[in-house]
Amino acid sequence: MTGPRVALVTGGSKGVGQGIAVGLAEAGWTVHVSGRDAERLQATVDRVDAAGGIGRAHRCEHTDDADLQRLVSTVHADAGRLDLLVNNAWAGPRMNHVTPEKFWERPLSDWDSLIGVGLRGHYVATHAAAPLMIAQGEGLIVNISSVGTRAYLHSTLYGISKAGLDKLTHDAALELREHGVTVLSLWPGLVRTEQLLASGVDNIAGVPVTDAETPELQGRVLAAVAADPAIHARTGGVLITAEAAVEYDVTEPDGGTPVSPRLMFGGGPVFPPLPRH
């Protein structure tokens, strides 16, 4: 193909999503970002443009199937292709991260945000993007998941949503493999978002905030992963941001090297490799 590669990052108005957009922009990507807040989206677009990419903003309600489907089709129509879909949108309920409540002490409405946005929304976006990528004969879908699939983190529902997301990665990869479309999960470590820094906590689940990764590192790693000509052989799997950074010789904006969160879950794969054809 000629011209910049095209990505859609859902939930790209702040935090991890904004960092992913900026990291991709540093590698010259055209990055479409979605969210609900126009002002925040514009801030991301400004950072993408300043980093060397081309930014585009889209208002989207990620709990609305039709809105999500329209988002994917609009990006594809505008750019003529979609090389990378990053399913990142997330809406976590307010909770105590130092001493989390048990699931029966939490309102049932937690389901609506953690599963409705953090799992169903990603399925809907993937459902919309898959036919477009199949027609292209290539594409990459990345689900922003978490060590919460394997380790207890935040809440029971958080773990359910992330485990479901990694199962989506595994099984969608199996069905898309023959069409040249790659599906991966990315597990960031603790990420130094504005929300985390404003919380005042010095660690989460035993991980010091001083060891937290930047949001931009996630985008730098994804740019390197997308540029790997052999990445399709790893479809269906999980990449840990810190370990992928070492593998692809990617560093933090300050030149630092992130710390792998592998000790939090004891190591080993989430699922075995995809069965052979």
Side-chain angles (χ1 to χ4, degrees):
M1 62 162 291
T2 58
R5 305 190 77 187
V6 178
L8 167 60
V9 181
T10 68
S13 63
K14 60 181 180 179
V16 171
Q18 185 180 82
I20 289 171
V22 172
L24 291 170
E26 291 174 346
W29 283 70
T30 293
V31 188
H32 295 250
V33 291
S34 64
R36 293 181 296 179
D37 188 311
E39 188 173 340
R40 285 182 177 273
L41 285 168
Q42 186 57 50
T44 299
V45 167
D46 291 344
R47 289 194 64 194
V48 166
D49 292 345
I54 299 171
R56 296 284 186 271
H58 303 265
R59 294 280 297 277
C60 180
E61 176 51 68
H62 299 99
T63 58
D64 185 322
D65 292 354
D67 214 15
L68 261 174
Q69 291 165 329
R70 185 164 45 249
L71 168 68
V72 174
S73 61
T74 297
V75 170
H76 184 264
D78 179 71
R81 60 183 297 108
L82 178 60
D83 299 295
L84 170 63
L85 168 66
V86 183
N87 285 315
N88 169 74
W90 189 74
R94 290 187 178 278
M95 59 190 306
N96 185 340
H97 291 286
V98 178
T99 52
E101 303 100 322
K102 303 298 188 290
F103 73 87
W104 62 88
E105 299 168 334
R106 296 288 311 173
L108 284 172
S109 59
D110 281 4
W111 181 277
D112 299 332
S113 56
L114 288 167
I115 305 297
V117 177
L119 183 55
R120 180 181 172 85
H122 300 335
Y123 177 76
V124 173
T126 301
H127 187 275
L132 305 176
M133 291 182 172
I134 290 171
Q136 293 174 177
E138 61 180 357
L140 173 62
I141 299 170
V142 176
N143 294 314
I144 304 303
S145 187
S146 164
V147 297
T149 290
R150 290 279 309 276
Y152 179 82
L153 192 61
H154 303 314
S155 70
T156 295
L157 266 179
Y158 181 84
I160 291 172
S161 69
K162 295 305 185 184
L165 190 54
D166 288 327
K167 184 61 171 168
L168 169 61
T169 293
H170 182 273
D171 289 5
L174 186 68
E175 296 181 4
L176 286 168
R177 179 171 56 183
E178 65 183 283
H179 300 287
V181 179
T182 303
V183 190
L184 296 167
S185 282
L186 185 72
W187 287 7
L190 189 59
V191 181
R192 207 177 305 153
T193 60
E194 292 177 3
Q195 185 178 11
L196 174 65
L197 296 177
S199 70
V201 300
D202 58 9
N203 80 87
I204 290 183
V207 178
V209 171
T210 52
D211 284 348
E213 302 163 5
T214 63
E216 292 76 14
L217 179 71
Q218 318 308 316
R220 291 182 172 192
V221 165
L222 287 188
V225 167
D228 181 352
I231 195 60
H232 190 56
R234 300 167 73 169
T235 191
V238 169
L239 298 177
I240 296 173
T241 296
E243 296 178 1
V246 172
E247 178 182 351
Y248 289 104
D249 196 22
V250 174
T251 62
E252 292 277 19
D254 66 359
T257 303
V259 178
S260 172
R262 184 170 288 272
L263 287 179
M264 290 179 66
F265 60 95
V270 179
F271 300 108
L274 295 187
R276 294 183 178 181
H277 290 287

